[in-house]
Amino acid sequence: MRSLPYDRDAAVAYARRWALGRNPAYYDFQNLGGDCTNFASQCIYAGAGVMNYTPVTGWFYRSASDRTASWAGVRYLYEFLVNNRSVGPYARVVSREEAEPGDIVQLGRSDGTFYHTPVIIAVEPEILIAAHTYDALDRPLSSYTYAAARFLHIEGVRGW
């Protein structure tokens, strides 16, 4: 396996292009619990260019019925990114100050349950996000109400 760079500019460009619309290549999970993590995965894929086709524990999308839970589920995307030692993108939890455009932030409750996955598209002068479910583009993170936030910094991508 070789290490590949994560193209943050491509991830952000994708987020800007599709934040207020839907790419017809992907199913819209809006009516099945929300589309935020599906959108975040699309953005990450735009910057990574590599999926992990491992059944169950990987990270891929072929269709709405042929995908992993990590593609569209908040908790499962987190688990994949921070534990991935194989093909595809990998991440680590960082502080707000270490977050960069192209990274994601997950918003949660005080009980430790996370429920929303916006994509960071700018960090200066404040963090701005793009998101689905409650569609947003250039929305300040500070405008959200949440009890917890975890910032996932995409460190790189592994490929063959």
Side-chain angles (χ1 to χ4, degrees), residues 97-130:
E97 295 73 31
E98 295 172 281
E100 296 181 42
D103 288 340
I104 61 172
V105 57
Q106 292 189 321
L107 306 181
R109 299 179 184 86
S110 59
D111 68 0
T113 304
F114 287 83
Y115 57 83
H116 193 42
T117 308
V119 177
I120 298 170
I121 57 174
V123 295
E124 294 293 333
E126 64 180 310
I127 292 179
L128 300 178
I129 60 90

Side-chain angles (χ1 to χ4, degrees), residues 12-21 39 119 121-122 128-132 134-140 144:
V12 170
Y14 186 96
R16 289 190 172 283
R17 166 67 179 92
W18 292 105
L20 303 179
F39 175 67
V119 177
I121 57 174
L128 300 178
I129 60 90
H132 276 187
Y134 303 105
D135 292 5
L137 177 60
D138 290 319
R139 180 174 174 179
Y144 283 89

Side-chain angles (χ1 to χ4, degrees), residues 24-56:
Y26 297 93
Y27 185 79
D28 180 359
F29 292 89
Q30 182 70 34
N31 295 319
L32 295 174
D35 200 53
C36 65
T37 305
N38 174 41
F39 175 67
S41 285
Q42 292 173 41
C43 295
I44 294 168
Y45 180 61
V50 177
M51 292 185 192
N52 180 314
Y53 291 98
T54 305
V56 182

